Amino acid sequence: MTTNHTPVPAAESRLRAQDITIGYDERVISESLSIDIPDGAFTVIVGPNACGKSTLLRALSRLLTPTSGSVILDGRSIRAYPAKEVARRLGLLPQTSVAPEGIRVAELVARGRFPRQSMFRQWTPDDESAVQEAMAATGVTELSARLVDELSGGQRQRVWVAMVLAQETPLVLLDEPTTFLDIAHQIELLDLCHELNRERGRTMVAVLHDLNHAFRYADHLVAMRDGRIVAQGRPADIVDAQLIDEVFGLRCRIIDDPESHTPLVIPRLRGT
């Protein structure tokens, strides 16, 4: 696959964080952190374990309330919206998800339509179509009647992604979506994210561990370490061996990926 990177739009971001301080209990993860999520782009966040990637995503999706600063969604504090309104604008796949016992695949994916339901609006053909399209896109249609508890880790992950896609939100946040997936399904999922971004105009944000996947698919790369943003921008503009060493403590060479013409990390052998 060859990924054509388009310039990040200059318009004001629909989703951004302004000087937020976030953490858990008394432990501060990030302090005075600001970030704009470029509209219409595929943003990928990378960094070592426990650097604050998932914590940032939780704050951007309102699962975590900053102790100071604010998260802005469509020009207003995200706290000002009812929960269902946030869910109509922003879909989130958290790092860990637990399905109710005894639920089947189609039922779980259908829960992605909950933000569209109300006392006066029940299940519609549009809801059914969204669920079927999401299952087809993630390759879980054949599993629709299976119990989620019976599935492999990779199958369950694709079902959770299908549920988020069924929400049909303009903003999609995915925290380590390729977890448990084999290499073929990793590429399929990231190709799907790329398609949703390019062909359907969805703003995508993903936390990824595989650097070469991140560099191949990202329009906008955010590199984090110790709760702060070390660098951000187009991978071709910011990625070099010095950045990888600074962020990950990894000595490497950076070469051109012959398929995507994006940076490719080659770790150096010990002792060289």
Side-chain angles (χ1 to χ4, degrees), residues 52-266:
K53 304 183 300 295
S54 295
T55 305
L56 172 59
L57 220 60
R58 288 173 61 84
L60 289 173
S61 62
R62 210 177 79 162
L63 285 184
L64 180 67
T65 302
T67 56
S68 64
S70 57
V71 174
I72 305 299
L73 175 62
D74 288 333
R76 300 170 59 193
S77 168
I78 198 170
R79 307 301 303 178
Y81 294 98
K84 264 195 173 183
E85 183 60 30
V86 173
R88 284 193 285 267
R89 298 170 186 245
L90 184 153
L92 170 72
L93 175 67
Q95 193 173 99
T96 55
S97 303
V98 179
E101 187 175 351
I103 194 169
R104 299 187 183 276
V105 167
E107 296 169 334
L108 183 60
V109 177
R111 293 197 172 195
R113 302 301 294 171
F114 174 74
R116 311 286 176 180
Q117 308 300 306
S118 69
M119 184 181 301
F120 305 103
R121 182 193 180 283
Q122 299 302 313
W123 196 257
T124 69
D126 285 345
D127 295 320
E128 184 64 30
S129 176
V131 168
Q132 295 301 324
E133 285 184 14
M135 289 196 297
T138 52
V140 298
T141 301
E142 294 180 353
L143 306 174
S144 61
R146 295 271 302 275
L147 292 172
V148 175
D149 291 340
E150 297 176 350
L151 304 180
S152 69
Q155 289 171 326
R156 283 197 299 272
Q157 187 73 352
R158 286 187 283 144
V159 171
W160 283 112
V161 172
M163 189 191 77
V164 174
L165 297 185
Q167 280 182 247
E168 293 188 313
T169 56
L171 290 152
V172 180
L173 279 57
L174 305 170
D175 193 355
E176 299 185 24
T178 55
T179 299
F180 303 121
L181 300 182
D182 59 44
I183 184 64
H185 283 117
Q186 289 178 35
I187 297 299
E188 284 181 8
L189 177 58
L190 292 170
D191 280 347
L192 173 61
C193 290
H194 180 265
E195 176 188 333
L196 290 170
N197 170 245
R198 292 296 190 270
E199 298 183 10
R200 305 194 186 186
R202 297 196 196 183
T203 297
M204 309 294 295
V205 184
V207 169
L208 296 179
H209 275 298
D210 189 303
L211 294 181
N212 292 327
H213 286 353
F215 302 160
R216 171 174 282 201
Y217 288 94
D219 298 308
H220 187 69
L221 183 75
V222 178
M224 295 186 66
R225 183 177 179 87
D226 298 329
R228 61 188 177 88
I229 295 174
V230 177
Q232 59 181 319
R234 285 166 45 92
D237 295 337
I238 67 171
V239 172
D240 57 21
Q242 181 178 344
L243 177 68
I244 303 304
D245 192 17
E246 180 181 356
V247 173
F248 294 94
L250 177 69
R251 296 179 65 246
C252 68
R253 293 176 56 204
I254 303 294
I255 64 173
D256 182 66
D257 185 325
E259 285 290 319
S260 61
H261 301 291
T262 53
L264 184 68
V265 176
I266 308 295

